[in-house]
Amino acid sequence: MTEAQSGSEEVDGVLAALADPTRRHLLDLLAARGEVTATKLAEELPVSRQAVVKHLAVLDAAGLVTGSRVGREVRYAVRPAALNATARWMAALAADWDRRLAHVKHVAETAERAARE
């Protein structure tokens, strides 16, 4: 597997995980509060603790959160690396479109000048 394929799969996993509004909300809560248990997170959401754990498992599989055991509890925290990789991919995509649009603008302006002459 090439590095580009690996990066693409990472971005795919992040985007799939973030497609769900509950998971986005969980990520926001974790970012705001640091390490938090699934029980504490469930108190702030209209879903059960078991549903929160399932959502956290999806976020974990995408590399967005990590869980660490402290005694009997598992505390979850945001892992920014996957988000950073996705942000870099989005920035590269935006830059590519900017270049394409600048080229279209240049062609249109050249055609307009030629039509006037």
Side-chain angles (χ1 to χ4, degrees):
M1 176 183 312
T2 68
E3 185 178 332
Q5 288 171 320
S6 175
S8 176
E9 289 174 8
E10 181 180 29
V11 169
D12 291 349
V14 168
L15 294 176
L18 294 178
D20 183 278
T22 300
R23 288 193 284 270
R24 289 193 305 273
H25 190 79
L26 278 170
L27 203 58
D28 288 342
L29 289 171
L30 286 168
R33 290 173 178 70
E35 286 191 343
V36 183
T37 65
T39 302
K40 288 290 183 189
L41 291 167
E43 291 172 0
E44 299 190 43
L45 294 167
V47 297
S48 68
R49 181 191 172 285
Q50 291 79 8
V52 168
V53 169
K54 288 181 181 181
H55 283 297
L56 289 168
V58 172
L59 292 169
D60 187 23
L64 293 167
V65 302
T66 186
S68 59
R69 187 165 288 282
V70 178
R72 295 182 343 173
E73 297 180 329
V74 177
R75 294 185 184 165
Y76 295 89
V78 173
R79 289 176 49 196
L83 280 174
N84 292 340
T86 303
R88 283 191 305 274
W89 172 79
M90 292 174 79
L93 182 65
D96 187 43
W97 275 105
D98 286 345
R99 281 190 298 277
R100 290 177 186 191
L101 291 172
H103 178 70
V104 168
K105 179 182 177 189
H106 174 71
V107 168
E109 288 172 346
T110 301
E112 183 180 348
R113 276 194 304 273
R116 279 187 273 150
E117 293 173 357

